[in-house]
């Protein structure tokens, strides 16, 4: 085998392994995670954030130690009335930010175990599924503050 062919094969192998490594590890970054403070006995609240993944992936769920369950919601207009509804997952396009914000996609926490007070830091765990159906989780701290203060 000539030296040139050997070098080419080595290069292809290296490229392939580097690509496989990249595909397996979607890097997720979350910015500006915040949650609406609640009044005593309020059991539901909303949370918002901007999510960016280095590879195509899906946000397939969330959990939080302060709530019984967490849903991802979308807003839609039905008979001229603005409604919201749970979605099973949201797509993350590679290197394109997904913004969860008031009036758009958002996170809802149900069955709150405690009051969320302004200044609290609430853990939220995002469950991300990559294109190979491999799941990873990312935990962020959502700062409790009102939308008007944002
Ligand atoms: Cu909602």
């Amino acid at each position: 085998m000539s030296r040139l062919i050997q070098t080419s094969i080595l290069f292809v192998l290296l490229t392939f392994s580097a690509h496989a490594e990249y595909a397996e590890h979607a890097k997720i970054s979350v910015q500006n995670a915040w949650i609406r403070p609640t009044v005593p006995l309020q059991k539901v609240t909303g949370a918002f954030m901007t999510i960016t993944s280095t590879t195509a992936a899906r946000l397939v769920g969330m959990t939080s130690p302060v709530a019984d369950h967490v849903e991802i919601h979308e807003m839609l207009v039905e008979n001229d009335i603005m409604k919201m509804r749970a979605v099973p997952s949201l797509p993350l396009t590679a290197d394109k930010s997904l913004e969860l914000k008031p009036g758009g996609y958002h996170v809802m926490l149900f069955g709150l175990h405690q009051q969320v007070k302004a200044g609290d830091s609430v853990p939220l765990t995002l469950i991300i599924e990559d294109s190979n159906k491999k799941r990873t989780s990312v935990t962020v701290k959502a700062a409790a503050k009102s939308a008007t203060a944002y």
Side-chain angles (χ1 to χ4, degrees):
M1 226 189 280
S2 80
R3 185 153 189 89
L4 180 63
I5 291 170
Q6 282 180 348
T7 308
S8 301
I9 289 170
L10 183 63
F11 179 74
V12 168
L13 286 173
L14 282 174
T15 308
F16 180 76
S17 62
H19 180 76
E21 180 78 10
Y22 185 68
E24 274 176 23
H25 301 280
K27 286 200 179 61
I28 307 296
S29 63
V30 179
Q31 278 97 35
N32 302 326
W34 64 282
I35 185 167
R36 279 191 206 281
T38 61
V39 295
L41 304 181
Q42 183 181 340
K43 289 292 173 195
V44 181
T45 192
F48 313 89
M49 67 194 70
T50 301
I51 308 166
T52 313
S53 172
T54 55
T55 61
R58 298 189 79 82
L59 172 66
V60 296
M62 285 205 201
T63 61
S64 175
V66 305
D68 286 339
H69 71 280
V70 181
E71 293 180 358
I72 302 154
H73 279 194
E74 65 176 353
M75 303 296 298
L76 67 157
V77 178
E78 211 173 78
N79 299 326
D80 292 331
I81 296 164
M82 193 78 155
K83 289 185 173 177
M84 59 184 181
R85 138 177 108 186
V87 290
S89 68
L90 282 181
L92 299 167
T93 307
D95 296 323
K96 195 167 177 287
S97 296
L98 173 69
E99 204 180 344
L100 309 184
K101 60 185 178 191
Y105 292 120
H106 59 276
V107 179
M108 291 202 61
L109 294 86
F110 293 91
L112 287 173
H113 304 156
Q114 64 203 64
Q115 184 184 1
V116 178
K117 294 178 180 157
D120 283 357
S121 185
V122 175
L124 282 172
T125 299
L126 290 70
I127 303 157
I128 307 288
E129 190 176 273
D130 71 13
S131 50
N132 300 319
K133 304 268 179 203
K134 186 170 169 258
R135 290 189 175 192
T136 51
S137 62
V138 180
T139 300
V140 297
K141 293 270 180 78
K145 54 187 171 183
S146 60
T148 47
Y150 191 66

